[in-house]
Amino acid sequence: MPGRKREYDEDDVRIRPGRSSRPRTRTRPKHDDAIDALVITVDRGRYGCVREDAPPDSPIITAMRARELGRKSVVVGDRVALVGDVSGDTGALARIVRIGERTSVLRRTADDDDTTPEGRLERVVVANADQLVIVSALADPQPRTGFIDRCLVAAYDADIEPLLCLTKADLAGPEAVLGYYAELDLPHVLVRPDSDLSELRRRLAGNISVMVGHSGVGKSTLVNRLVPEALRAVGVVSAIGKGRHTSTSAVALRLPPVGRSRKDPGWIIDTPGIRSFGLAHVSAESLLHGFPDLVEGTVEDQPNCSHSPHDVDCRLDAWVAEGKADPRRLESYRRLLASRAGETDQRDTPPDDELPPS
């Protein structure tokens, strides 16, 4: 009938389906079929992985992080568990479902001062490294002990063994550099253009070694001599990021076996973009551990001594005056302390990357 008010019943009402009443569970898949692998490169959310026990010519497995990992970061050197397509074929994609416990973590910051944005931005360089190979030329360019000191602090803080690799030994002798580190018993190797690298290979065998060095010291040449297939290997890794491999990307390279030896020749991680180590993540107390030749001189200091030149009762000055440590080492240590505190003015202090005069 026209004008009659319509009456509605429950059939006219649309009910939006509610969420499932089934209780949520935190139970995650166990992934018992996952395979163990080593992360050798990281590029824009894609991770190049290889089985550590696989032959050197095994394909690189491209993987992405599984959602259940949350915000856990994955870096070069991580040991991970993979599921999915682990064939390494073109277009294949696996998933990283677990990250193994790290035995070591090498960190750095862009700045020394933790009051700056750069200093607060802490970066993990690599995980699970056994030693840090600090590559320095003996000439052209001159040795930069300030850089070496920073690397030593970072290595000791990460509980990684340092190894000093002195290149261009045909141009200059190592006496000045080794004399500067005489009290540290710092292991070192000398490299010449015609050397066979047998001593270096012996020290690298069985280890995951991170190689760092300034531009011009011959690190790239050294990497290519150690791993003749390095350029080809990096080219393969580049495909993971669709043809992009920047000069700042770390990459792990498997060292080739030597002769008929069955001993694990080890891995090297090249870090072409790592030319400095900001130390804002290292406490002032831990900073001293990078200078073990000075530690004993602080035993009689007051607990709150900062060991800076402003502490008139600091025993380090007397320790050096008594000839128990090189004064250049104390100068380098205090320069790093001042840099951490934001007190360093580059116009008033000598550069920390040149070998101080004897």
Side-chain angles (χ1 to χ4, degrees):
M1 181 182 295
R4 183 178 177 179
K5 187 176 180 180
R6 181 179 177 184
E7 296 180 0
Y8 294 91
D9 58 21
E10 62 271 14
D11 292 333
D12 295 301
V13 180
R14 291 186 178 182
I15 306 290
R16 178 179 295 177
R19 293 184 177 181
S20 173
S21 59
R22 185 175 59 183
R24 298 182 65 182
T25 176
R26 291 183 177 274
T27 304
R28 303 297 187 195
K30 293 183 178 180
H31 297 301
D32 294 330
D33 58 340
I35 69 165
D36 296 328
L38 177 74
V39 177
I40 65 170
T41 189
V42 177
D43 189 3
R44 296 182 298 176
R46 293 292 185 268
Y47 305 89
C49 310
V50 296
R51 301 191 191 195
E52 288 190 80
D53 57 351
D57 57 350
S58 298
I60 296 175
I61 303 169
T62 304
M64 60 184 297
R65 289 190 317 127
R67 183 174 298 179
E68 59 254 40
L69 291 180
R71 295 187 177 182
K72 292 183 180 179
S73 64
V74 181
V75 300
V76 171
D78 267 327
R79 292 182 170 92
V80 298
L82 302 177
V83 298
D85 192 338
V86 296
S87 65
D89 295 338
T90 302
L93 187 63
R95 285 188 300 132
I96 299 175
V97 293
R98 284 193 301 271
I99 304 172
E101 184 177 353
R102 293 168 175 171
T103 58
S104 67
V105 179
L106 181 64
R107 298 180 173 91
R108 76 180 186 101
T109 51
D111 192 5
D112 288 334
D113 187 359
D114 60 8
T115 64
T116 65
E118 293 82 4
R120 288 192 297 270
L121 186 59
E122 183 179 310
R123 299 182 183 276
V124 175
V125 181
V126 296
N128 300 316
D130 301 302
Q131 71 180 346
L132 180 64
V133 181
I134 308 165
V135 184
S136 175
L138 289 171
D140 190 29
Q142 293 298 312
R144 297 180 173 182
T145 55
F147 174 75
I148 297 174
D149 287 344
R150 287 174 175 274
C151 292
L152 289 176
V153 169
Y156 293 138
D157 181 68
D159 197 22
I160 298 173
E161 292 296 322
L163 172 64
L164 184 58
C165 180
L166 299 173
T167 61
K168 304 186 181 181
D170 57 316
L171 300 181
E175 293 78 16
V177 177
L178 298 182
Y180 179 73
Y181 294 106
E183 299 299 323
L184 272 65
D185 195 24
L186 182 62
H188 71 279
V189 293
L190 299 178
V191 175
R192 298 176 176 83
D194 57 347
S195 57
D196 61 4
L197 304 183
S198 58
E199 174 63 16
L200 178 57
R201 289 184 184 277
R202 184 183 68 81
R203 292 182 178 272
L204 296 176
N207 294 314
I208 295 180
S209 304
V210 186
M211 303 190 72
V212 296
H214 273 292
S215 176
V217 299
K219 180 172 66 66
S220 297
T221 300
L222 188 61
V223 169
N224 287 326
R225 289 184 63 192
L226 288 168
V227 188
E229 298 295 318
L231 294 177
R232 185 192 65 80
V234 170
V236 173
V237 170
S238 300
I240 294 172
K242 298 182 179 179
R244 171 183 172 270
H245 180 79
T246 67
S247 61
T248 59
S249 301
V251 58
L253 300 167
R254 191 197 304 262
L255 289 165
V258 179
R260 297 182 179 180
S261 174
R262 295 185 178 182
K263 185 177 180 180
D264 174 18
W267 292 77
I268 57 172
I269 300 179
D270 187 20
T271 58
I274 308 300
R275 298 183 179 91
S276 65
F277 269 92
L279 300 175
H281 63 285
V282 180
S283 67
E285 181 180 355
S286 295
L287 189 66
L288 183 62
H289 296 162
F291 296 81
D293 47 331
L294 301 178
V295 172
E296 189 175 348
T298 66
V299 172
E300 298 179 3
D301 276 332
Q302 296 296 321
N304 59 348
C305 181
S306 65
H307 310 306
S308 72
H310 308 300
D311 286 297
V312 294
D313 296 326
C314 180
R315 285 287 303 158
L316 280 177
D317 295 280
W319 181 262
V320 169
E322 293 168 3
K324 296 180 178 179
D326 192 322
R328 297 172 297 176
R329 295 282 293 159
L330 177 57
E331 180 184 353
S332 178
Y333 168 60
R334 285 180 168 165
R335 190 160 50 235
L336 290 181
L337 277 178
S339 183
R340 282 197 80 264
E343 299 173 357
T344 302
D345 188 335
Q346 296 299 329
R347 296 171 298 179
D348 300 328
T349 57
D352 70 348
D353 60 352
E354 294 179 359
L355 183 67
S358 302

